[in-house]
Amino acid sequence: MAREFQRGHKAKISDLTPGTDLYVGVQIAGPGLAIDISCFGLDVNEQLSDDRYFVFFNQPKSPEESIQQLGTQAGDTESFRVTLDRIPAGIHKLSFAASIDGAGQMSQIGPGYIRIVAGGEEVVRYSFSGSEFSTERALMIGDFYLKDVWRFAAVGQGFDGGLAALLQNFGGEVAEEEQPAPQAQAPAAAPGFAPPPQAAAPAPSFGAPAQAQPPAPAPSFGAPPQAPAPAQAPAPAQVPAPAPYQQPVHAAPTMAAPMGAPLAPPAPAPYGQVPPPAPAPAPYGQQPQPSYGQVPGQQQPPYGQQPGFGQQPQGYGQPATAVPAAGAGLAAALQPYKEAPTGARWTPQNQQLMRVDLAMGGQAVLARQGSMVLYQGKVDFSYKGAGFAGRVVGNATGQEMQLMRCAGRGQVFLAEEGAHLHAIELQGDAICVSAENVLAFDESLQHEVRRIEGHGIPGGALFTMQFQGTGTVIVKTHGVPVVLPVTPTTFADSNAIVAWSAASQVIISSQVRLRRNAYPGHSGETVNLQFRGAPGNFIVVQPYEV
């Protein structure tokens, strides 16, 4: 079943489909409107540094044919073939946009969408309508962008100018003959909206298998089956957004693994104040400085205090307790990497590896599928479904988690892509974490999708997961995060925020209006999250944007 994206949702292409030869279909139309659909191949600075990667009706493909415009087919107003593994290294983003040629504005369009099809099967769709816009004459619909791996983002951003202004915004140049009055361009513009001359040739090769399909391996790329009637391409059912959750006020949770045999830590600084600079790391074999999460043999300071994040993180393989000097040999070389037992349920083995002892507490753990790297003892792994309603809500909000259930009497080691792992222990309170940043949690915790209202974007909203109760949540971050107290002027990038106290009030703040985006050179920091709340509330931000 295809995933339904809302504006602002992002995902790795590899999470949607293993294929890299993709069909992109766009449906957008309005009474009396002539609409151009094009693709901009942008460099790392989001500029059109090479005009050959502006794919539109007069230039239907890039030089190496990694981006091809296919024309109208399968119920789509315009379609493209994108071969991700053939895109040159200099291209970091593919921006799909629509612009009105002539009179009209985007508020006049009907229901539309952009969808991705792999091997003839639709994997994701982002739907929009004219009610989300006003006087804009162009629309940036969706992006493929390269950040370690290729990803897809549902943009839905209106733009005041037409195609020429959109091209200039990306650093392109408009030819002089395009500047005269529209009367002189009208005869030339009319043929431009017919399907490209080459579209009829490649279309059959990308169609779904027909009656006389040759017995060959399934192609990696396939456009959806050609529909003889509109009934073959129905619009997706609109899933109503969940009602805003009425959040009670809770105290800030404690971010720490369960207590081991604590040593006396230095006196913590008052909440919100920056502690003295951390001392240099101890020499090898001596007790290191505490790192984020609980280091075995030490007590974690209360969550929200700055020293846990400001101190030098513990290096991978550095022993958590003092190791006596040993001679040369294999045993001495491997001594720093031995398991760190603490007698606690959750124990960080290092910054990227977390161990849970299922025998302690007697309850199961829900973890992200594929996150187990090692286990000892008798452990049963089973699929944990979200149910029909859970799948619908997860697809509609982008907060879907593919989970497995770990139960039994043994130890399970969890990790994912070398991300830093942090244990957040809840004691009857609540915390909000994006589903993408959750690795595992105790089954006893209650979790649900929470809606963040978007007052700065027409029809916009974001979603997050809220965890509440007694238990531990394992949060993963890129790099060492920072915890900041919430003040009236606290803003965070929605792509860098990891978690925040559930009692905080969150508002989507737009500092750059849509009209200003018509001018090139804007900062790109158009939408942020503003946090408000009483003293004691906090946010957790990672040094990385998803």
Side-chain angles (χ1 to χ4, degrees), residues 316-404:
Y316 179 83
Q318 185 174 349
T321 58
V323 179
L330 182 60
L334 298 180
Q335 179 67 26
Y337 308 102
K338 285 189 175 181
E339 181 182 359
T342 62
R345 177 172 169 83
W346 293 93
T347 304
Q349 299 299 298
N350 52 58
Q351 290 183 338
Q352 293 87 20
L353 188 62
M354 185 70 65
R355 188 194 74 180
V356 56
D357 191 343
L358 298 175
M360 300 188 64
Q363 60 177 325
V365 167
L366 301 181
R368 190 177 293 273
Q369 291 180 10
S371 61
M372 186 276 293
V373 297
L374 167 69
Y375 75 94
Q376 304 177 67
K378 186 176 181 180
V379 181
D380 177 57
F381 298 92
S382 59
Y383 172 76
K384 177 63 176 178
F388 177 78
R391 291 196 301 271
V392 171
V393 173
N395 288 333
T397 62
Q399 296 296 310
E400 183 181 13
M401 293 188 293
Q402 302 292 334
L403 300 175
M404 63 179 178

Side-chain angles (χ1 to χ4, degrees), residues 23-58:
Y23 171 98
V24 180
V26 178
Q27 169 62 254
I28 181 171
L33 298 180
I35 301 179
D36 296 328
I37 303 172
S38 52
C39 176
F40 295 85
L42 309 178
D43 59 19
V44 67
N45 298 316
E46 299 190 4
Q47 295 293 298
L48 185 66
S49 55
D50 190 339
D51 290 342
R52 298 177 301 170
Y53 290 91
F54 173 36
V55 178
F56 66 118
F57 55 88
N58 277 342

Side-chain angles (χ1 to χ4, degrees), residues 3-6 8-10 242 368 386 390-403 432-438 447-452 462-467 498 500:
R3 293 180 59 178
E4 288 287 343
F5 271 22
Q6 303 293 325
H9 285 183
K10 303 176 182 179
R368 190 177 293 273
R391 291 196 301 271
V392 171
V393 173
N395 288 333
T397 62
Q399 296 296 310
E400 183 181 13
M401 293 188 293
Q402 302 292 334
L403 300 175
C432 294
V433 187
S434 174
E436 188 174 4
N437 293 102
V438 176
H447 60 284
E448 61 182 353
V449 177
R450 180 178 176 183
R451 178 184 176 94
I452 304 172
L462 296 177
F463 300 86
T464 186
M465 294 295 297
Q466 177 174 287
F467 292 84
V498 175
W500 61 87

